[in-house]
Amino acid sequence: MASGVKPRVKVPKSASAGEVIAIKTLISHPMESGQRKDSDGNVIPRSIINRFTCEFNGQSVIDVTLEPSISTNPYIEFEATVPEAGEFKFTWYDDDGSVYEDAKAIEIA
């Protein structure tokens, strides 16, 4: 894992079967576009989170391609229907090959 890269996820602990919930994710990442130069005039290499996915009990919920124009520390909020108790799995893919993961369980109330 690259230095300082840390995912954070907010998912309710429980929901009613069939309820639509809001899921909030944030990952600390510099999201360097590859377009800027350092103080010596050298191009700073591109380094971004290029893809984000979320699955619920193995089924795809969202699959997003991120581009260099996305700001530092990308925040993604989306809605998902909770059909049953289970686990949301979140995955961020970095240009350098690193993969960052988090998971959150949800119960049916």
Side-chain angles (χ1 to χ4, degrees):
M1 183 180 282
S3 174
V5 177
K6 179 182 171 190
R8 287 178 276 183
V9 176
K10 187 172 183 182
V11 174
K13 293 188 184 316
S14 66
S16 301
E19 183 179 349
V20 176
I21 62 164
I23 296 174
K24 300 174 182 181
T25 72
L26 175 74
I27 187 162
S28 299
H29 192 281
M31 297 295 284
E32 187 56 60
S33 69
Q35 304 297 315
R36 295 184 325 126
K37 293 183 179 179
D38 64 17
S39 59
D40 294 327
N42 300 311
V43 173
I44 300 170
R46 176 180 138 150
S47 175
I48 69 167
I49 297 293
N50 58 52
R51 183 175 175 214
F52 167 76
T53 63
C54 174
E55 295 180 349
F56 181 73
N57 290 346
Q59 299 282 19
S60 179
V61 174
I62 191 170
D63 190 335
V64 180
T65 300
L66 303 174
E67 301 294 340
S69 61
I70 302 293
S71 68
T72 300
N73 305 326
Y75 171 82
I76 299 173
E77 181 176 347
F78 58 97
E79 293 182 338
T81 301
V82 181
E84 61 196 13
E87 184 177 75
F88 285 98
K89 180 182 174 193
F90 307 91
T91 310
W92 294 261
Y93 300 86
D94 198 316
D95 276 350
D96 68 8
S98 297
V99 175
Y100 312 103
E101 297 180 322
D102 199 356
K104 298 287 183 186
I106 190 165
E107 298 175 0
I108 295 301

